[in-house]
Amino acid sequence: FGFALTMGSLPVVISIYERQVGAASVVSLAWRLLYDLIPSTLVIFSVFFFNIEKEYRHTFYSTERGIDVIIKRFRESNDEEIKAWAIFESSKHWWKSIEEEVRHWVE
């Protein structure tokens, strides 16, 4: 999402600069770079993505939040090391909602 937002905002920023102070040579260079940057970046990402084996493509995107992953790992794991990693290697804010479960596990 961040990549798409950045690429989408570049034309807007160049247009604002052009209207406010816009040195013509700078604006011209920015537009030329933009016309080269967006298509070449999209081609590179497309080539990269299509070279990944189909069975692994799902690992490159997820709608699951980090906090949900930590809680899920803690609750579903039988391995003490994974539970410890989920709790002690993440922010307390992420596992504060299951703090009682964590306290019980630590005791």
Side-chain angles (χ1 to χ4, degrees), residues 1 15 36 44 52 56-57 66 68 75 78 82 87 102 104:
F1 177 73
S15 296
D36 291 338
I44 289 169
I52 299 170
Y56 298 113
R57 285 188 190 160
D68 300 327
R75 287 183 172 160
N78 293 325
I82 292 175
I87 299 305
V102 173
H104 179 70

Side-chain angles (χ1 to χ4, degrees), residues 31-89:
W31 282 117
R32 275 187 280 144
L33 288 173
L34 179 73
Y35 291 138
D36 291 338
L37 180 68
I38 289 178
S40 62
T41 305
L42 290 174
V43 167
I44 289 169
F45 274 123
S46 298
V47 168
F48 169 74
F49 195 71
F50 286 114
N51 278 316
I52 299 170
E53 293 181 31
K54 277 188 174 183
E55 62 197 61
Y56 298 113
R57 285 188 190 160
H58 72 279
T59 64
F60 284 88
Y61 54 87
S62 173
T63 57
E64 194 171 28
R65 300 176 310 160
I67 187 172
D68 300 327
V69 172
I70 294 299
I71 292 171
K72 181 179 174 182
R73 282 195 181 150
F74 180 79
R75 287 183 172 160
E76 294 180 0
S77 179
N78 293 325
D79 185 0
E80 298 294 312
E81 188 176 339
I82 292 175
K83 285 187 177 204
W85 175 86
I87 299 305
F88 301 123
E89 295 293 325

